Amino acid sequence: MNDPDGRRFATTLTEKLQTQILGKPLHFFPTIDSTNTYAARLAREGAAEGTIVVADAQSGGKGRLGRSWISPPGVNLYLSVILRPPVATIVAPQLNLLAAVAVAEAIADVCPLLPAIKWPNDVLVNDKKVCGILAEMQTEGGALSAVILGIGVNINVPLAAFPEELREKASSLFLEQGTEIDRSTLTARLLTHLEKSYVLWIQQGFSALRATWEQYATWFLAKRIAVAAPEGTVRGTVLGIDDNGALLLRQEESDRVQRIIVGDVTVLGGYDRGDKET
Ligand code: BT5
């Protein structure tokens, strides 16, 4: 496949888009520091809901909490979507869950792999991370004005592109399936699913999407996990999520049920290869 700077990817993506809102307009860059940073600037300048930024490579791809996202050229998806949902800021983290569902649905559409969601923002295949999501909020006078929903999917990246320490816990659809996947087809499916879920979410709230989320997260139920949340690290057993997308955990220490809105999850005794704690 000769597509040195991803322009063919961008053109075919535009042709395949079947959405009404998302991807209108679409900004494409052969290389950018971070699609989220650029989309945040566009949003502050008043860009319309549905505007997306796609890059073939990122030189400063961002994860959460100042972490970085490995973003080599020509192989993956680096996408940021500008949304302006008429909801309270407290509800905005639910968009992480919507994006994870859309990615899982798109993967299930284009290949025979079984995607699995790890609350709140990872999609795994065969226990390895193939997608990360970064939702960044903008507020005006305390009210939500925009959410930049950043989605990175490892589509065709070979193992050698990952640094040594990530090779046990990260993967790509290509590595798990053995054959390459068309980036524009996967991305168009992802945006179709995301738009459908987003419209439903605005109309009916997260409860309308909870069952679909749970379909992709059954592996996660009853797992022993540690969650690094703003209020400290908690260990316990996953009970599920509630109608607002918050994680419900039975605390190990107290046996109490704790509700967690944001946090970083480590599965104890397995599943997070290379990241294991016991
Ligand atoms: C995430 O953060 O998983 C959010 C990643 C969001 C990336 C997208 S790409 C488009 C948009 N523009 C951006 O600049 N960002 C968004 P977090 O949960 O903090 O996970 C980050 C951690 O995942 C790193 O510290 C590594 O351990 C690991 N990691 C880094 N790059 C990876 C990759 N390509 N695949 C799998 N794991 C990776």
Side-chain angles (χ1 to χ4, degrees):
M1 214 190 292
N2 185 23
D3 186 18
D5 58 7
R7 285 195 196 274
R8 199 153 56 95
F9 163 46
T11 313
T12 48
L13 171 59
T14 310
E15 287 162 6
K16 287 178 185 169
L17 271 185
Q18 291 186 323
T19 45
Q20 304 300 314
I21 314 162
L22 305 187
K24 305 192 174 172
L26 181 159
H27 297 265
F28 172 77
F29 296 89
T31 301
I32 199 167
D33 53 351
S34 154
T35 56
N36 259 42
T37 303
Y38 188 79
R41 191 181 326 145
L42 289 180
R44 277 192 299 272
E45 288 165 2
E49 167 158 275
T51 301
I52 68 172
V53 181
V54 178
D56 191 52
Q58 296 185 117
S59 55
K62 299 190 293 184
R64 295 180 306 158
L65 307 168
R67 294 188 284 244
S68 57
W69 187 254
I70 308 289
S71 309
V75 283
N76 289 339
L77 172 65
Y78 315 112
L79 164 75
S80 297
V81 182
I82 298 177
L83 297 172
R84 298 191 182 277
V87 301
T89 51
I90 183 93
V91 176
Q94 293 174 8
L95 286 167
N96 280 296
L97 311 192
L98 260 68
V101 169
V103 171
E105 291 179 313
I107 292 174
D109 281 354
V110 303
C111 54
L113 300 170
L114 289 177
I117 294 176
K118 182 179 138 197
W119 186 93
N121 73 324
D122 292 350
V123 180
L124 316 178
V125 170
N126 299 331
D127 307 336
K128 295 185 173 191
K129 181 161 169 168
V130 297
C131 163
I133 295 157
L134 173 68
E136 296 182 298
M137 284 196 284
Q138 292 182 358
T139 55
E140 258 173 45
L144 187 66
S145 60
V147 176
I148 313 303
L149 192 54
I151 303 175
V153 186
N154 299 330
I155 302 179
N156 293 319
V157 62
L159 200 61
F162 291 119
E164 195 68 41
E165 68 276 11
L166 271 188
R167 291 187 192 164
E168 282 289 299
K169 56 179 187 175
S171 192
S172 67
L173 303 180
F174 160 71
L175 285 167
E176 297 307 312
Q177 179 178 253
T179 50
E180 289 200 351
I181 283 162
D182 184 75
R183 284 195 288 170
S184 57
T185 305
L186 180 96
T187 309
R189 296 302 304 155
L190 196 171
L191 287 165
T192 295
H193 286 299
L194 184 62
E195 180 166 294
K196 179 197 64 189
S197 300
Y198 181 66
V199 170
L200 194 62
W201 180 69
I202 298 290
Q203 289 167 350
Q204 298 182 26
F206 184 74
S207 59
L209 294 153
R210 183 175 156 183
T212 315
W213 186 91
E214 283 169 344
Q215 257 179 38
Y216 290 104
T218 46
W219 73 279
F220 192 52
L221 292 177
K223 285 275 174 298
R224 257 189 85 223
I225 64 168
V227 191
E231 55 276 21
T233 296
V234 204
R235 281 163 188 257
T237 308
V238 176
L239 299 174
I241 55 169
D242 68 11
D243 266 353
N244 295 309
L247 183 69
L248 300 175
L249 194 70
R250 180 165 308 279
Q251 270 196 38
E252 222 154 73
E253 304 268 290
S254 63
D255 217 35
R256 273 195 318 118
V257 176
Q258 183 161 358
R259 195 172 168 271
I260 298 167
I261 297 172
V262 286
D264 235 11
V265 170
T266 304
V267 179
L268 302 174
Y271 284 92
D272 274 8
R273 296 182 193 178
D275 208 20
K276 218 183 280 180
E277 285 181 29
T278 47

